[in-house]
Amino acid sequence: MQAGKPILYSYFRSSCSWRVRIALALKSIDYETIPVNLIKDQGQQFSEEFQALNPMKQVPTLKIDGITISQSLAIIEFLEETRPTPRLLPKDPKKRAQVRMISDTIASGIQPLQNLSVLKQVGQENQLAWAQKVIHTGFDALEQILRSTAGKYCVGDEVSMADLCLVPQVANAERFKVDLTPYPTISRINKTLLALEAFQVSHPCRQPDTPPELRA
Amino acid sequence: MQAGKPILYSYFRSSCSWRVRIALALKSIDYETIPVNLIKDQGQQFSEEFQALNPMKQVPTLKIDGITISQSLAIIEFLEETRPTPRLLPKDPKKRAQVRMISDTIASGIQPLQNLSVLKQVGQENQLAWAQKVIHTGFDALEQILRSTAGKYCVGDEVSMADLCLVPQVANAERFKVDLTPYPTISRINKTLLALEAFQVSHPCRQPDTPPELRA
């Protein structure tokens, strides 16, 4: 069942795909990328072939160890359980709870409300205001939470799953022109994390499917 | 720090609160409920007192073992790590991944798009159609996933975190008058689970804050 390299179905700009790419990079897991362009061909995620892999028609999806997993946090938890080094969840259950609370705040409380499919439904002229409002509400909460959990990173001084969620969400905030001035803790941690190699190699501007004009 | 009974901040009709109530019931954890009425007083979750506990202004929030945890799945994972019996995650990492994938599909992919705050923004006359569409999209995927993972319950024959997410989401679907005919697997598992005591005592119609006219 160990069928060679893991395969990541990914879109360069998908913040959920980026979370998983960071995990793979931190854990030095060699993998192959199959790009799924969420915009081209009216959305390649809607193809019959891809729907069979991921019925939610979303990226990321990871084929690994003979199984196919969707949902970024489920993927990261699987990687953590099967490839525990370096760890992305602290040892202490209370700190693990903080990491998962922050991760879920982003993965359930912010990102789903500003993703492509919702914005399509909201309509072109309302998209920016909608996304900004959702991210502001979430970041107001996140800033308050991080003030009590953060050290160098989201929870203490070790990179955790929470950090893998934070950086891609800040990138979304920037895309939607959210003013980050009210969020000094979020901004500081984001900047510190972006200096790490795993966050750089996994960056949307450096993926196999990044369009030439967005490469850096 | 073991400060007596855990305290659950809950709203009878909140599907995310229900997930946690089922976990507490299954694990026979005695707790106290503090109701947070999401509608009364223009939403008690917006009070300064509650915001200090949960900056996202959402239920559930659990005070336990000297810490305060928000986000239902983070709470359930903490309970699983500190009170492992009976287990809500299988032993096998691949089956654990399936449980988390299904849980996240509901907790990130369906519920957030039909919760109270989003429906308020969508506007009164569009709410029902919006919620139905979101749930149909999610259930189309879920039905397909469950066809390959389910036994008696969502993943095999043991009750898991995925089941704790499924039943409250089906209740939401019923509230929004979603036709469940296309989802025989979802419907069968839901019915089987609703017969279990832990799902009954935690039911929205049997909470301390359930209005008399909705009690059963």
Side-chain angles (χ1 to χ4, degrees), chain B residues 24 26 29 60 80 84 96 107 109 132 134 167-168 195 204 207:
Chain B
L24 291 164
L26 283 168
I29 301 168
E80 181 72 2
R96 293 163 76 87
Q132 287 180 341
V134 162
V167 167
Q207 296 313 299

Side-chain angles (χ1 to χ4, degrees), chain A residues 51 55-56 65 70-71 73-74 77-78 81 93-94 96 100-101 104-105 107-108 112-113 118 121 130 141 144, chain B residues 51 55-56 65 70-71 74 77-78 81 93-94 96 100-101 104-105 107-108 112-113 118 121 130 141 144:
Chain A
Q51 277 191 49
M56 282 293 276
D65 299 348
S70 292
Q71 296 296 331
L73 298 189
E77 294 262 7
F78 178 79
E81 291 184 347
K94 293 182 185 178
R96 292 163 77 86
R100 290 196 175 106
M101 176 173 74
D104 289 349
T105 296
S108 294
L113 302 176
V118 170
Q121 286 207 55
W130 173 287
Q144 190 178 324
Chain B
Q51 278 190 50
M56 280 294 275
D65 300 348
S70 290
Q71 296 296 330
E77 295 263 6
F78 178 79
E81 291 184 347
K94 292 181 187 177
R96 293 163 76 87
R100 290 195 175 106
M101 177 174 71
D104 289 349
T105 296
S108 295
L113 302 177
V118 170
Q121 286 206 56
W130 173 287
Q144 189 178 326

Side-chain angles (χ1 to χ4, degrees), chain B residues 158-187:
Chain B
E158 276 181 31
V159 173
S160 73
M161 182 164 72
D163 299 300
L164 279 52
C165 295
L166 184 76
V167 167
Q169 186 58 56
V170 172
N172 281 352
E174 288 169 342
R175 264 179 70 210
F176 291 119
K177 304 184 203 316
V178 170
D179 174 18
L180 294 174
T181 321
Y183 313 115
T185 315
I186 291 175
S187 300

Side-chain angles (χ1 to χ4, degrees), chain A residues 1-2 51-58 64-75 77-78 81-82 89 91-94 96-98 100-102 104-110 112-113 115 117-118 121-122 130 133-134 137-142 144-145, chain B residues 1-2 51-58 64-75 77-78 81-82 89 91-94 96-98 100-102 104-110 112-113 115 117-118 121-122 130 133-134 137-142 144-145:
Chain A
M1 292 289 271
Q2 301 281 350
Q51 277 191 49
L53 284 176
N54 182 342
M56 282 293 276
K57 307 161 205 166
Q58 293 171 333
I64 188 167
D65 299 348
I67 58 169
T68 303
I69 319 174
S70 292
Q71 296 296 331
S72 59
L73 298 189
I75 296 171
E77 294 262 7
F78 178 79
E81 291 184 347
T82 56
L89 286 167
K91 259 192 184 165
D92 174 26
K94 293 182 185 178
R96 292 163 77 86
Q98 291 180 334
R100 290 196 175 106
M101 176 173 74
I102 294 166
D104 289 349
T105 296
I106 296 170
S108 294
I110 306 176
L113 302 176
N115 80 356
S117 66
V118 170
Q121 286 207 55
V122 167
W130 173 287
K133 188 177 173 184
V134 163
T137 303
F139 276 19
D140 286 348
L142 211 52
Q144 190 178 324
I145 293 169
Chain B
M1 293 289 273
Q2 300 281 350
Q51 278 190 50
L53 283 175
N54 181 341
M56 280 294 275
K57 306 164 207 164
Q58 293 171 334
I64 189 167
D65 300 348
I67 59 169
T68 303
I69 318 175
S70 290
Q71 296 296 330
S72 59
L73 299 189
I75 295 172
E77 295 263 6
F78 178 79
E81 291 184 347
T82 57
L89 286 169
K91 259 190 183 167
D92 173 26
K94 292 181 187 177
R96 293 163 76 87
Q98 291 180 332
R100 290 195 175 106
M101 177 174 71
I102 294 167
D104 289 349
T105 296
I106 296 170
S108 295
I110 307 178
L113 302 177
N115 81 357
S117 66
V118 170
Q121 286 206 56
V122 167
W130 173 287
K133 187 176 174 184
V134 162
T137 303
F139 277 18
D140 286 348
L142 212 50
Q144 189 178 326
I145 294 169

Side-chain angles (χ1 to χ4, degrees), chain B residues 5-209:
Chain B
K5 268 193 212 179
I7 297 174
L8 180 68
Y9 295 81
S10 169
Y11 179 53
F12 76 103
R13 197 146 62 184
S14 147
S15 63
C16 303
S17 299
W18 192 4
R19 294 173 195 156
V20 174
R21 295 195 304 255
I22 304 168
L24 291 164
L26 283 168
K27 290 178 178 290
S28 305
I29 301 168
D30 191 23
Y31 68 99
E32 188 189 329
T33 300
I34 297 191
V36 179
N37 192 313
L38 302 187
I39 294 170
K40 215 174 123 183
D41 309 332
Q42 300 180 303
Q44 294 176 345
Q45 73 276 28
F46 300 115
S47 74
E48 243 177 74
E49 195 189 343
F50 187 70
Q51 278 190 50
L53 283 175
N54 181 341
M56 280 294 275
K57 306 164 207 164
Q58 293 171 334
V59 285
T61 291
L62 186 69
K63 275 196 191 175
I64 189 167
D65 300 348
I67 59 169
T68 303
I69 318 175
S70 290
Q71 296 296 330
S72 59
L73 299 189
I75 295 172
I76 294 168
E77 295 263 6
F78 178 79
L79 294 177
E80 181 72 2
E81 291 184 347
T82 57
R83 282 105 172 140
T85 312
R87 67 170 179 237
L88 298 176
L89 286 169
K91 259 190 183 167
D92 173 26
K94 292 181 187 177
K95 292 215 176 301
R96 293 163 76 87
Q98 291 180 332
V99 168
R100 290 195 175 106
M101 177 174 71
I102 294 167
S103 304
D104 289 349
T105 296
I106 296 170
S108 295
I110 307 178
Q111 194 283 332
L113 302 177
Q114 51 93 89
N115 81 357
L116 190 61
S117 66
V118 170
L119 293 183
K120 267 189 206 161
Q121 286 206 56
V122 167
Q124 190 94 45
E125 70 267 343
N126 303 320
Q127 287 184 2
L128 194 67
W130 173 287
Q132 287 180 341
K133 187 176 174 184
V134 162
I135 295 173
H136 269 303
T137 303
F139 277 18
D140 286 348
L142 212 50
E143 179 71 18
Q144 189 178 326
I145 294 169
L146 291 173
R147 254 183 254 140
S148 70
T149 62
K152 195 170 171 189
Y153 304 118
C154 284
V155 177
D157 296 325
E158 276 181 31
V159 173
S160 73
M161 182 164 72
D163 299 300
L164 279 52
C165 295
L166 184 76
V167 167
Q169 186 58 56
V170 172
N172 281 352
E174 288 169 342
R175 264 179 70 210
F176 291 119
K177 304 184 203 316
V178 170
D179 174 18
L180 294 174
T181 321
Y183 313 115
T185 315
I186 291 175
S187 300
R188 170 184 62 78
I189 298 170
N190 180 61
K191 200 178 154 192
T192 309
L193 288 163
L194 278 174
L196 303 180
E197 198 196 342
F199 288 74
Q200 294 183 353
V201 297
S202 59
H203 195 281
C205 73
R206 245 165 252 124
Q207 296 313 299
D209 57 331

